[in-house]
Amino acid sequence: MSAAGIDPHTYVPQNELYVWALVNPAQPVLVGTLRLSQLVADCATFTYDEHWWHFPLSEDLPLVPGQSFSAGERNSAPGAIDDARPDRWGERIIRHIDRPARLSILEMLLFAGDDRFGALGISVSAEQYIPRYLGPYPQLRDLGQLSAAIEDVQTQAPITTHIQRLVQPGVTLGGARPKALLQIPSGERVVVKFNELDDALDTSLVEHATMTLAAKAGMDVAVTDVLAVPQRHRKACHALSIQRFDRLGDYRLHCQSARTLLRAVELPESYSALATVLLRLGHPDRQSAMREELFKRMIFNILIDNTDDHERNHSVRLGLDGYYELTPAYDVVPTLQNMGYQAMLVGAAGAHSSIDNALSELNDFGIKRARAIELVSEVARTVDRWKTHFRRHGVCADDMDLLSASIDRDALRLQRKEFC
């Protein structure tokens, strides 16, 4: 192990790793120490370094010198540190390509690499920041080969050195879908999402259409674009590029998922509870706008049939002014499951996907009913034009038929028509 990075083939399992803050990547700052718990299997504990004073990583990790924190659950890390770990796709790469000598929560955190979501990094040293570096990054000219490599990983094809070089940088990203980091000509690294082999439609193109539709409804969304990749089964196929919103120039912004925020204060995983947390963490001048934004996202998710709006698909970032704000919306796409309930609780009727339910807890959003109706109407009118918008973005007829069966089914169509 050296400052050049960690080699998974020569890595010796460590029972202590170190959390660093990379707000300014040129000047990493030691935050504290991670250890494997002696009480709970495959559970990490965390202790702040005595010199760290800048900000608590999350509300359940207050700045208490010498205090050892634990989530108390198997395969977990405390507070916001758990947001720095890879999700299903990243774990798949670590397990099947990196194959380190041990696969504890510490390895999952370490092998997620240097360019993960947010501003935290994991190092084998407390003296200098020595992470698992991943690179060089694929470039636009590699997109076709990258797409093929992603498919090879999904089909469990033999992993060549070439495939490994292309897909490994994507281990650093959260989420379940196949992802990669791509370096564009400006030098910026963008996130690229690919379709899964068993997708019923061109999910990447549909997600771009959905995200841009949300922007038309006045919401703050991540900037996306579509990239054409080689056809599969004689059908056009795309990848989705996403500009990173956890970066500000050369700086990295500390982020927390809604899951971390709500667990820290022992509130239910609901939109109204998240609105309450935003009231406490946001800048006084921006609290009202943020809570209206969250309310509109809830309405949009209901009407567009995005029922995968779970607590990891909402997050906040810590601005350089010391206040948190909602990140732009991401992972917004119809799920085509017609379930009739959201992943997050909506209102007094639980997770039921209805506007009436969404209007039942307005006090927690700080929104008067008349204003709420205005916001619902703005979203409903936009969603009502979804077909024109999706066709303009190139969604094919077969995919439109699948989408229409969900978005235009009576349960949703009649709701939006009521507010158009």
Side-chain angles (χ1 to χ4, degrees):
M1 293 180 290
S2 71
I6 307 302
D7 184 342
H9 302 106
T10 59
Y11 166 78
V12 177
Q14 308 289 302
N15 290 328
E16 287 190 1
L17 294 176
Y18 303 92
V19 179
W20 289 70
L22 306 172
V23 176
N24 179 357
Q27 296 179 322
V29 180
L30 179 65
V31 181
T33 303
L34 285 169
R35 299 180 177 89
L36 279 178
S37 171
Q38 301 299 306
L39 301 176
V40 181
D42 196 22
C43 173
T45 65
F46 172 73
T47 306
Y48 282 109
D49 181 76
E50 61 181 347
H51 300 296
W52 175 261
W53 54 268
H54 303 271
F55 55 86
L57 299 185
S58 50
E59 287 193 87
D60 53 352
L61 297 177
L63 293 174
V64 180
Q67 174 72 45
S68 179
F69 299 96
S70 172
E73 298 176 5
R74 187 182 180 89
N75 192 32
S76 68
I81 299 170
D82 208 55
D83 290 328
R85 63 184 295 175
D87 212 326
R88 271 172 38 198
W89 176 255
E91 286 200 7
R92 188 173 188 174
I93 300 299
I94 293 171
R95 290 179 184 278
H96 298 294
I97 294 182
D98 283 335
R99 299 180 182 177
R102 187 180 66 186
L103 285 169
S104 76
I105 181 64
L106 294 193
E107 279 70 42
M108 289 301 174
L109 284 162
L110 176 63
F111 282 87
D114 176 57
D115 208 1
R116 72 192 78 211
F117 181 60
L120 298 183
I122 308 297
S123 169
V124 294
S125 170
E127 306 303 321
Q128 59 177 321
Y129 177 56
I130 306 178
R132 171 74 199 282
Y133 287 113
L134 297 168
Y137 289 81
Q139 300 183 28
L140 278 175
R141 64 174 179 268
D142 300 316
L143 184 62
Q145 297 177 64
L146 178 58
S147 177
I150 293 287
E151 289 195 12
D152 285 343
V153 172
Q154 294 182 75
T155 59
Q156 298 184 341
I159 302 300
T160 65
T161 302
H162 181 62
I163 290 175
Q164 183 171 339
R165 179 186 72 81
L166 291 170
V167 303
Q168 266 188 328
V171 73
T172 192
L173 305 167
R177 300 187 66 82
K179 293 184 180 70
L181 280 172
L182 194 71
Q183 187 165 329
I184 59 179
S186 68
E188 180 185 2
R189 294 166 185 168
V190 298
V191 178
V192 180
K193 293 173 68 172
F194 294 87
N195 296 337
E196 296 194 72
L197 293 178
D198 59 354
D199 279 352
L201 42 66
D202 189 347
T203 304
S204 295
L205 180 59
V206 170
E207 183 170 344
H208 175 63
T210 308
M211 295 279 282
T212 52
L213 185 69
K216 280 184 171 293
M219 281 174 277
D220 179 26
V221 303
V223 177
T224 61
D225 202 354
V226 285
L227 304 169
V229 297
Q231 290 189 1
R232 189 171 68 232
H233 308 306
R234 298 183 180 178
K235 183 178 180 181
C237 196
H238 298 85
L240 178 76
S241 72
I242 310 163
Q243 288 186 18
R244 299 193 67 157
F245 48 79
D246 59 337
R247 302 292 187 258
L248 185 63
D250 293 332
Y251 291 95
R252 302 185 183 187
L253 302 179
H254 178 58
C255 297
Q256 297 184 53
S257 68
R259 178 180 183 271
T260 293
L261 292 170
L262 296 171
R263 283 192 167 201
V265 291
E266 299 181 345
L267 287 175
E269 292 167 355
S270 72
Y271 281 98
S272 60
L274 182 55
T276 300
V277 173
L278 292 176
L279 178 63
R280 190 170 66 256
L281 297 181
H283 190 285
D285 294 341
R286 299 193 293 269
Q287 291 167 354
S288 177
M290 273 199 300
R291 294 198 289 168
E292 283 196 358
E293 168 79 15
L294 180 62
F295 179 78
K296 290 178 68 173
R297 293 183 189 183
M298 175 174 61
I299 299 299
F300 186 83
N301 285 334
I302 290 171
L303 294 181
I304 206 69
D305 195 42
N306 174 30
T307 56
D308 192 36
D309 55 340
H310 58 79
E311 65 281 4
R312 285 194 184 275
N313 280 345
H314 304 272
S315 60
V316 297
R317 59 190 177 191
L318 181 60
L320 300 182
D321 62 358
Y323 288 95
Y324 282 95
E325 63 180 4
L326 274 175
T327 65
Y330 56 94
D331 285 355
V332 181
V333 63
T335 52
L336 306 183
Q337 293 179 315
N338 304 355
M339 294 192 302
Y341 58 88
Q342 304 301 122
M344 291 265 283
L345 298 176
V346 171
H352 183 55
S353 304
S354 75
I355 303 302
D356 284 345
N357 193 22
L359 292 170
S360 65
E361 295 181 340
L362 292 177
N363 285 343
D364 291 332
F365 291 89
I367 303 174
K368 299 295 185 183
R369 186 174 179 85
R371 175 58 177 161
I373 298 300
E374 289 179 5
L375 297 174
V376 172
S377 296
E378 182 181 2
V379 173
R381 287 193 299 269
T382 303
V383 174
D384 202 46
R385 299 190 293 270
W386 76 270
K387 284 186 176 178
T388 300
H389 182 83
F390 277 42
R391 289 192 185 105
R392 188 178 298 130
H393 280 78
V395 178
C396 70
D398 288 345
D399 288 357
M400 290 294 293
D401 288 342
L402 284 173
L403 290 159
S404 184
S406 288
I407 301 171
D408 282 347
R409 71 184 194 273
D410 285 351
L412 296 183
R413 179 179 57 81
L414 295 176
Q415 286 193 73
R416 74 172 187 257
K417 288 296 186 183
E418 182 181 347
F419 291 93
C420 284

